[in-house]
Each structure stands twice: as C-alpha cells, then as structure tokens.
Amino acid sequence: MRKGIFALAAIAATLIALLVPPATAAVGVDSEELRDAVTPEAIEDHLEAFDLIGSSNGGTRASGTPGYADSVEYVVETLEAAGYVPAVQTFTYEQWSETAPPLFAQLSPNAVVYADGVDFATMEYSDSGLVAGGMLEAVDLVLPPGPSANTSSSGCEAADFAGFTAGNVALIQRGTCSFAQKALNAAAADAAGVVIFNEGQPGRTDVLFGTLGGPGPTGVPVIGTSFAVGDALAGLLTPGPVLVDLQTTTTVVSTETQNVIAETEGRSDRVVVAGAHLDSVPEGPGVNDNGSGSATILEIAVQMAELGIEPRNQVRFAWWGAEESGLIGSEFYVSQLTSRDIKDIAVNLNFDMVGSPNYAPFVYDGDGSDTPAAGPNGSGVVEDVFLDYFGSMDAPTWPTAFDGRSDYGPFIAVGIPAGGLFTGAEGLKTQDQEDAYGGMEGVAYDVCYHQACDTIANVNMDAIDLMSDAAAHAVLTFAMTTSAVNGTGQGNGNGVGNLEFDGARRQR
C-alpha cells in the first residue's frame, strides 16, 4: 500500500492479465503492490487528523459546521499534495437539528419519564411542539404484531383516522408506509402530536431513529419509540385513558456544505466512482462513521498517484457531505448528472464504516441472494469481486442489504451497479463472527455509533487493515478491467426503489 502519479510502466509491473472472462465479469488484476502501499498506519494518520479536527471544533464534523469545513480542507490539501486537482461541489440543504432535549412522559395511569435515545427519539425533521397532558389515541394497531415485517398499515390511510379526536396524541405502529405519510395523515386529523412505535417482529423492536425525509407541514412533534414502549402504552388504553406530555424543540436552517471530487485519467465512459461520506453526526466527531471510509479512499487515491498507476478506466474519488441528514450530498451529485453522465458511470463503490471496534466484514449483497433486494444489473459482479478477494484471503464475510442506508442509494436509484464494504453499526455481533474475528458476541459492532465517543479510540485497526486491502483491490480491479460491469458498461436505468432508510435514519 504506498506512492507517485500515473505511469504505464507501473501498470505493466502491477497488473497480471488473466484469461478474458464473460462480458459481465470484471477482469482480474494483481493488486498486491497497491494493497502493500495502502498501509493501516497511513490511514491511521488520516483518522488522527479527523479526530483532531473534531476535538478542535466542539466534538463534531457535521456538515455545515467548522469541523466539516476543516475536514474538507484536509482532504483537498492531501489530494493536491498527491498531484490531484480536486473539485469542491457546493450545495445548500435544509439542516434540521434539535435545540433542546425532547420530553416524553406518561402522566397517567402511571408516572413514567421516558429516556431520550433509550426509549424514544425525535424523528428527524419533526416540528417543534408542546403537548401537556394530551390524551393518547391508538390508530389501527396490529397487536400482537404480524408474523412478518410490514404487516401493519397503521396510519397509512386517511380512513385510519375516522373518528379520531382532534387534539389527541396519535399512537401509530411502524409498518407498510413511510413515517412521513403517517405523520401527515395524523396532522390532517388535527392530532396534537405523533408517537410511532417499532412494529414488534424480531429486528424491529428497538427505538425508532426515524426521519420524515425533509421539512414538512406537520406542525406537530413526532417521535419514534421502541416496540416495548408502544406496546405497553397500547395495553394501558384498554382499561382507560392514557395522558402524556410530549415536547420537541427543533429548527431547520438553509445550510451550505460541500462534496469533494477528485479524478484520475482514464476512459471517461466507464467511470468508477469510489465514495465515502465525510460528515459526522452533530453528536460526535465520527472517526469510525465515517472517518474510516473517508480515510481509506483518501489513502487509496494517494497511493495510486504515488505508484504512478494509470487506470484504464477513470476513477472518481468522492467525499460526500450531509450524508447523515439523508444522503443529501450524493443525491445532489447524482441530480446534477445528465443521462449521458449516468450511462458513463460503470460502478459505484461505497465505503461507510470500515473500522468498527467489534467488527465483522460485511459485503453488499449485489445479487439479492441473501437479502430482500438486489442492486441494479451488474451489482452481483461487484459483490463477486469482493467475495473472491476475501475468499483468497480465507477471510469469512457476511452479506448486508441495499436498504438505502448509505450513499450508494442515489446511484442504484438511477440504475448504476454498486457495492461496497461495511463493518457494522448498532447490530449485534454473532457467535460465528466472534469465532472468526474475536470481539464480543451479543455486543454492538460499534457501541459508540452516532455518539460523542466515536473518536480515534473507537476504531479497530485490524478491521482497517483487512477492509482497506479489499477496498484497494476492488478499486484497482474496476479501474483496470476491460469488461463491462453489467454487460454494457453503463447505468441501465433500472433503479431500486422503496428503500427503508434515508441515510442513517429509517424512513419507514
């Protein structure tokens, strides 16, 4: 993993041509020299820089903050020193934030104060509002929950609110439609507030960290709760009324922020976009989420230059802004592409959280063989490149779904093949994963996910070493292939819709 900028002689030394594969496969390369050059020590230097930027700027690198501006400056200066001419793409978005802690409490029949972040959380883009002693009213709940996810249509139709008492607080269950649709229907029925609880099936019990997708005309406070909280409240409604206090204090400000883009030479009609989001959440410096991905592709870019690699296909390295607010930077980037530009992008490689402290290696399930949805045509080829690499290293991996949780989302929505790596967030490590990689079964992959403790101390350098090698291998493979990723080398226009997440927060 180490040094220089684009020379044909280095290609000859670096690459070993394999037999020409079928039209839908990527030509293999010998990536050893690049992998050796991209050292975990160099990536750690970038991570330490992000950590220092965070600690020097109030503990955050969120888009629109001085910490993010300093992160952009660091990436730009590092790229320039390596010989790139990076572009800074500026855009404006509606930045939502809470300006005071929220409140949710049961007044009767029991006195219970619920804990923010443990029992409930304010939905992103909730309006401010105060409900004092509001009466809770259930809306078309399915309890006990159905045998599979998305069996409850609670709050999804205006008819669900027939007879709803104006001024009450709507108790709604997660299910078939978006949180925004539920909240808008409740507001149209003159609800004073909205409580949406998780649906209740395995994997759908935790606190809902949800989003309404953008500023909207609800005009009321909207929160998400765990299934346990919602189920208990629903049970209390059977014998008699339930009174609650609910308060949120939020603001939305038009905020300017940036993406950073740096390109190599190479075929501009078969572009490899290697991306990672650069911003953190407001609550922390985001050194794992996603300093780890940002640092990894930064060092790959630097070392491709240092080694003098001239890619056959152009590599476009991208650091996205405002991912934590809903993939806004990558969405803006894709929205500015012409139909020709979209067809010219062969593949999107996404690296979001590749240094989780209690890590397991996850590969995006491009062909949909293990998760609910496949990516666009060609995404299975991307998956295979990663799986073949990890297989050659005798390193077991696990599939992760295209659920809209990261910046591949806008690319697959327009039919661009995609894939990438992930080492886990709030999910729990399994026994098989502990047996393979150590750590602790039954504990979150990243116990500091979206918290102030996501500092340099929260990054597992063994994970960085493993995942950065895989990332370097995939970037070089698609940079040098003579085969089309999806049989045409172009985005096919068959997008993946109805995703569950909008960035880090669920939207349904």
Side-chain angles (χ1 to χ4, degrees), residues 93 116 204 225-226 235 266 381 419 448:
Y93 75 107
D116 179 26
R204 295 167 77 87
T225 79
S226 67
V381 174
C448 288

Side-chain angles (χ1 to χ4, degrees), residues 152 205 274 377 424 438 465 469 481 505 508:
S152 171
T205 59
N377 183 35
D465 193 13
D469 279 355
T481 185
R505 292 177 180 253
R508 64 176 179 90

Side-chain angles (χ1 to χ4, degrees), residues 280-351:
S280 73
V281 293
E283 294 81 2
V287 179
N288 182 40
D289 183 17
N290 182 38
S292 61
S294 291
T296 294
I297 66 167
L298 182 59
E299 190 59 19
I300 292 170
V302 167
Q303 296 309 326
M304 285 182 67
E306 292 279 352
L307 290 171
I309 296 172
E310 283 189 352
R312 178 176 286 110
N313 308 313
Q314 184 179 83
V315 181
R316 187 173 298 158
F317 294 100
W319 292 262
W320 310 117
E323 186 268 0
E324 298 288 6
S325 294
L327 316 182
I328 294 172
S330 53
E331 284 184 347
F332 178 80
Y333 174 81
V334 171
S335 75
Q336 302 303 296
L337 300 175
T338 66
S339 58
R340 179 72 256 172
D341 293 333
I342 291 170
K343 289 181 181 297
D344 286 344
I345 296 176
V347 64
N348 170 235
L349 303 177
N350 187 71
F351 304 103

Side-chain angles (χ1 to χ4, degrees), residues 51-59 70:
D51 187 59
L52 179 59
I53 287 169
S55 63
S56 301
N57 287 281
D70 286 352

Side-chain angles (χ1 to χ4, degrees), residues 53-69:
I53 287 169
S55 63
S56 301
N57 287 281
T60 188
R61 297 187 306 105
S63 273
T65 69
Y68 186 75

